Amino acid sequence: IMLGAGGLQAVLEGVSARRVRLAGLFLTGYAAGLLALAAGVWYLLRELPLNFGWAAVLALAASAWLGLGLAGRASPRLWIAGLVTLCLLDWAGVDRSLFDVRPPGQVLAEKAAMAGRIKELEALEGPFRVYSPSYSLPQQTAAVHGLQLADGVDPLHLSSYAGFMERATGVPQKGYSVTLPPFANGDPRSANQAYQPNPELLGLLNVHIVASEFALDVDGLTFEGMDETTYVYRNARARPRAWVIPDAPASEADARPVEILSYEPNRLSLAAVGPGLLVLSEVAYPGWLAAVDGQPAPVETYMGLLRAVRIGPGLRRVGFEFRPRLVFLGLAIGLLCWSLWAALAWLKWRRPRGG
C-alpha cells in the first residue's frame, strides 16, 4: 500500500520525460508478454479459461490507463477514478471466480436421503450428534433436517473445542482452520484417511453416528452399512446429551441418564437424580449460568470442555441460561456513548449562533 501510494504521488507530482518513456516501454513489453502468454494458453488448451481471460483484459486495460496517466493525457481526478474502478472490477472478478453458484434445491439435496434416515433414528433414540471426518453430511443439509454436527465450517472456534476435537478426531491442528477437522490437502474425501477417531471422546460430544467417505477400522465403531458412497458407523461408546456421574464410591460407568425438559439455544431445563455431577454435552462457553431448584449454582468444566454442575441427593431440576456479562456491559457502554452524542448534538443545536 505504501509503495503504491508513493508511486501514485510521484505520478501526480509529475515525472520526467525520460521516466515516462521508460515506463511506456515497460508497459508495452508487459502488454506484449501478456498477449503472448494468452495466445500460448489458448493454443495449448484450445480455449481461454474465464478467470485467465478476465485477468488478461483487466491487466491490459490497467497498462493502457497507467500509460495515459504517465503521459498526462487524463486529468488527475479522472485518472484516479479510473484506477479505483479497475481495482474494483479486478477484485470483483477474483471474488466471483472463487464461488460456484448452484440452485438452492441442488445444494440442499446433497446427502438429503442419508440425513432423513439419521433424523428418523434420532426420533427413536433421542437427540444425538453426527461426526464426519470427510464432510460426508454437508452442514446446510444437516441444518435443514434439524441435525447437529460435531464437525463443520465456522470461522470462529474456541481454542478449547479445537484442542478437544484434535484429540477426538485424531486429525492434527496445524495453525488456524476454518473447518473442524481441517483438510490439509483441500479434498475432504481423502484428506483425513490416515487418521483414526477416538470413539470415547466423540461419545462425550454425544456423537452416535459417524459418516465417512472412507472405511474406518476403529474399536468402538460398528459398521451399519453404506449410504451411496458413504460408510455409516454407530458409536458404541456414545453418551447421551446429559448424564449424572454419581459421587464416590460409584464409578463413571454407573452414570445415570437425565431427562431433558426443554432445549433452546440460550436456555436449557433438565431433571436429574443426585447426588453427583451433572454433565451436559455442551461447550462450557463463557456466560452460561446454572441454577439447581431455582438456586444459583457454580458451573464447572468437565474434561476441559463440557458444562457441568453438582447436584444434591434426590430429584433435582437444573436450569442453564446464557447471560454473558460482557455483552450486557458492551450494550450499556454503547447506549451511554449514543446518549452522550445525542446530548452534545442537542446542546450544539440549542446554542445561540453569534453574529
Side-chain angles (χ1 to χ4, degrees), residues 118 121-122 124-132 148-150 199 201-211 220-224 232-243 281:
I118 295 176
L121 181 64
E122 185 185 48
L124 296 174
E125 299 185 1
F128 60 74
R129 294 190 177 93
V130 182
Y131 166 70
S132 174
Q148 294 189 10
L149 303 177
L201 294 181
L202 287 177
L204 291 174
L205 297 177
N206 190 220
V207 171
H208 283 231
I209 298 295
V210 177
L221 296 182
T222 304
F223 179 63
E224 292 289 308
V232 180
Y233 299 87
R234 181 184 288 271
N235 186 4
R237 301 175 184 174
R239 297 294 186 93
R241 185 58 57 90
W243 66 94
S281 185

Side-chain angles (χ1 to χ4, degrees), residues 139 151-158 176-180:
Q139 193 162 309
D151 61 285
V153 183
D154 193 336
L156 296 176
H157 300 298
L158 283 179
Y176 170 76
S177 171
V178 73
T179 66
L180 286 179

